[in-house]
Amino acid sequence: MAGALVDVKPTPILKEELDIVIPTIRNLDFLEMWRPFFEPYHLIIVQDGDPSRTIKVPDGFDYELYNRNDINRILGPKASCISFKDSACRCFGYLVSKKKYIFTIDDDCFVAKDPSGKEINALEQHIKNLLNPSTPLFFNTLYDPYREGADFVRGYPFSLREGVPTAVSHGLWLNIPDYDAPTQLAKPLERNTRFVDVVLTIPGGTLFPMCGMNLAFNRELIGPAMYFGLMGIREPIGRYGDMWSGWCVKVICDHLGYGVKTGLPYIWHSKASDPIIAFVNLREEYYGIFWQEELNPFFQSAVRTKACATVQKCYIELSKQVKDELGRIDPYFLKLADAMVTWVGAWDELNVKCYLS
Amino acid sequence: MAGALVDVKPTPILKEELDIVIPTIRNLDFLEMWRPFFEPYHLIIVQDGDPSRTIKVPDGFDYELYNRNDINRILGPKASCISFKDSACRCFGYLVSKKKYIFTIDDDCFVAKDPSGKEINALEQHIKNLLNPSTPLFFNTLYDPYREGADFVRGYPFSLREGVPTAVSHGLWLNIPDYDAPTQLAKPLERNTRFVDVVLTIPGGTLFPMCGMNLAFNRELIGPAMYFGLMGIREPIGRYGDMWSGWCVKVICDHLGYGVKTGLPYIWHSKASDPIIAFVNLREEYYGIFWQEELNPFFQSAVRTKACATVQKCYIELSKQVKDELGRIDPYFLKLADAMVTWVGAWDELNVKCYLS
């Protein structure tokens, strides 16, 4: 029998299968805190600002570090698709990785504790989420049916109990929630203290705000759509790379039959609640907040009607729709549509082995 | 500013606004345990079996009791739409109520405790769920944004932060989960011990298995669709009245712009894990399990394209689609389609005041 009646035991993911991608590290406590969890894996650090600044990685970590000069050297003219001075540059790490899975995390995210006080191994939970199927086609009221002690409830169609492959695992944040700048300004003291012990599949056809702070994905399934767009310096918009990517990823996952999970694991998000930061965020987010009203209906109706069989084909098709339907909002979207094509070209160039195998 | 930036405080719902509907009470401990929570309200008890059997309700409760003879007397020939010997008969209580809200619960559901050991006031949580808006049009990763300490996260469109009216609050079960008979047989010892501290809106366009054990709804918004179908004796199917109702309710809520929430509150479900019961359940559920495979695609595409502006019109339209598209599966669906029309007729007859006011 399919589904939860089989005891699904995740196997550990090896170093050969997973890379950890981090956009800049300004705080070395970050790596020390994660040392027991990250040391067994390879880190890809993508420096988002001035390439002459050096990041000193403590001993014991296996890592590669890319700054802007490296990005320009490796991608040549295609480097134009990688953001500068915005954590959206992290997607360069997805390009150069050769592993099946990626875990990406921000340097202001620390190890959280569960209600019993035990440190949460975020990476282990992401791996569990990615190795177990998703259930986007019908909602299970006891949440993840593959989890120990849970199953599909009465009324859940048996034909859907095998689930679909999971492409994305979206983790959450204790302490400082991922609010937009207006909400930060309105609620400077709000902290997320509620540990919700749940993982669930975001249903098919439903969009969600994908945050890049604590995120894992199957690069083989969805990598070419994990492009964080054009953000930061030289662009009218910042702090929306993960959102853009999340909307593209979700419609393509829905189209290709892959699942997106959200919930556990939590990390401890420590960003200071400084009103100055909120004002800077507000300036950077302004167009994101403004445009997202039009992006929602756009993505609600995007791609799905087209018969595209690979992530790359879906993504190129989506870039055409961005040009045709969003270009009228602002010329930025014409440039972004071109950058999407450049990104897929860079992906195919650096990942040529995938197609030969 | 709309949405969660306003502090939404639910007002208590008065006796004049809510009825508690219970299908038969075989166990008087049930009422004693709920006494502090139920005594302030009016109970409607709908006896599902032999009308000569009497149910002794302890002193102190304000109640009305209906048996089969009462149903036949009140509805006349339209009584044919009310199930006999199945808890689906409970929907008769929704018909005769004159209140805005209904809470319905099974007599094997007891007061649960939260992780701190405090007794959970299920009714109070349902009321909170129904009085706060729902967010079916976009998923919020911090779950219910209207809950204290939560909000909409970065990337959530501002135009959707007012939410939509909540029509249904679906509560969950600790101890014995609501599994179908095959799963009960395969996992006789499984207990739900995980208290998940969350309420979430089931996204628009997504179906779910609505369980009638611990359920509340806004009768004015969705009452005419809360029909539990033809189940039990004389029918090929049982134990699926809540599922049938849930699928009809969800597509109509999606169409009319109402929300459906699931999660808190928990009750303690105490049904004995007797394999004999599981075998009886298997026999009753057989056609439910078999037919649900075809019902899922049917409901996925039902109603939505039609321009029906009231619950009644949606429901009549849905009954036509049941006749046209499901009648070929089994003549039972032709009979059920007729019963749906009869039900709406009975609703309009008994609720005529709603249309005059």
Side-chain angles (χ1 to χ4, degrees), chain B residues 23-242:
Chain B
T24 308
I25 300 174
R26 289 152 295 194
N27 179 354
L28 295 181
D29 290 349
F30 165 79
L31 278 180
E32 288 306 336
M33 192 169 197
W34 286 104
R35 187 183 283 276
F37 306 105
F38 287 1
E39 243 182 351
Y41 292 96
H42 180 71
L43 311 184
I44 300 178
I45 303 166
V46 186
Q47 198 178 329
D48 73 354
D50 179 4
S52 69
R53 239 189 82 225
T54 53
I55 295 175
K56 165 117 191 61
V57 176
D59 288 345
F61 287 99
D62 171 33
Y63 72 99
E64 55 198 300
L65 172 71
Y66 297 95
N67 65 24
R68 190 72 214 181
N69 297 334
D70 301 315
I71 294 171
N72 290 340
R73 177 175 46 78
I74 292 167
L75 292 184
K78 290 198 175 74
S80 62
C81 75
I82 303 296
S83 298
F84 186 47
K85 294 207 174 168
D86 188 288
S87 77
C89 70
R90 79 179 76 202
C91 65
F92 178 77
Y94 314 156
L95 264 188
V96 295
S97 168
K98 293 285 169 280
K99 310 288 175 66
K100 183 171 181 182
Y101 300 101
I102 297 285
F103 172 47
T104 184
I105 184 169
D106 281 5
D107 72 344
D108 57 358
C109 294
F110 295 88
V111 179
K113 289 180 176 168
D114 71 16
S116 76
K118 194 174 159 235
E119 290 199 329
I120 297 165
N121 185 342
L123 191 45
E124 185 184 42
Q125 180 67 48
H126 277 301
I127 289 168
K128 271 190 197 170
N129 295 349
L130 289 170
L131 290 180
N132 281 307
S134 291
T135 52
L137 301 175
F138 205 91
F139 188 87
N140 192 50
T141 51
L142 286 183
Y143 311 107
D144 185 352
Y146 304 106
R147 188 168 173 177
E148 208 176 324
D151 210 310
F152 293 96
V153 299
R154 181 172 56 93
Y156 202 102
F158 277 80
S159 60
L160 300 177
R161 295 190 185 196
E162 284 197 35
V164 305
T166 301
V168 177
S169 168
H170 177 263
L172 299 177
W173 340 278
L174 290 172
N175 195 35
I176 311 280
D178 186 34
Y179 287 163
D180 49 57
T183 308
Q184 284 170 27
L185 287 164
K187 291 177 146 184
L189 300 179
E190 189 149 296
R191 297 292 177 270
N192 186 23
T193 57
R194 202 154 50 92
F195 179 93
V196 179
D197 186 14
V198 86
V199 177
L200 54 89
T201 299
I202 299 177
T206 300
L207 294 174
F208 78 114
M210 189 182 82
C211 170
M213 269 198 274
N214 171 23
L215 179 72
F217 60 92
N218 183 323
R219 205 175 150 275
E220 286 182 6
L221 289 185
I222 201 67
M226 271 287 176
Y227 173 48
F228 274 41
L230 295 172
M231 301 284 146
I233 208 159
R234 298 187 300 231
E235 307 301 338
I237 179 173
R239 286 174 50 80
Y240 260 74
D242 46 1

Side-chain angles (χ1 to χ4, degrees), chain A residues 155-161, chain B residues 240 247 287-299 326 329:
Chain A
Y156 201 102
F158 276 80
S159 60
L160 299 178
R161 294 188 186 196
Chain B
Y240 260 74
W247 295 324
Y287 279 104
I289 290 171
F290 183 52
W291 288 335
Q292 75 193 359
E293 302 299 332
E294 304 222 38
L295 297 182
N296 177 34
F298 168 75
F299 280 106
L326 298 178
I329 298 176

Side-chain angles (χ1 to χ4, degrees), chain A residues 228-304:
Chain A
F228 275 40
L230 295 173
M231 300 285 146
I233 207 157
R234 297 188 299 234
E235 308 302 338
I237 181 173
R239 287 174 50 80
Y240 259 75
D242 46 2
M243 296 299 144
W244 177 259
S245 171
W247 295 324
C248 296
V249 160
K250 187 60 167 60
V251 297
I252 292 175
C253 281
D254 285 348
H255 179 77
L256 295 177
Y258 302 142
V260 174
K261 290 184 184 176
T262 186
L264 303 181
Y266 284 95
I267 51 79
W268 179 266
H269 184 211
S270 72
K271 191 170 54 184
S273 71
D274 183 341
I276 302 293
I277 293 177
F279 283 123
V280 172
N281 291 347
L282 183 60
R283 196 185 56 215
E284 291 179 4
E285 287 174 13
Y286 173 76
Y287 280 103
I289 291 170
F290 183 51
W291 288 334
Q292 74 193 1
E293 303 298 334
E294 304 221 39
L295 296 183
N296 177 34
F298 168 75
F299 280 105
Q300 290 284 3
S301 60
V303 173
R304 277 177 241 170

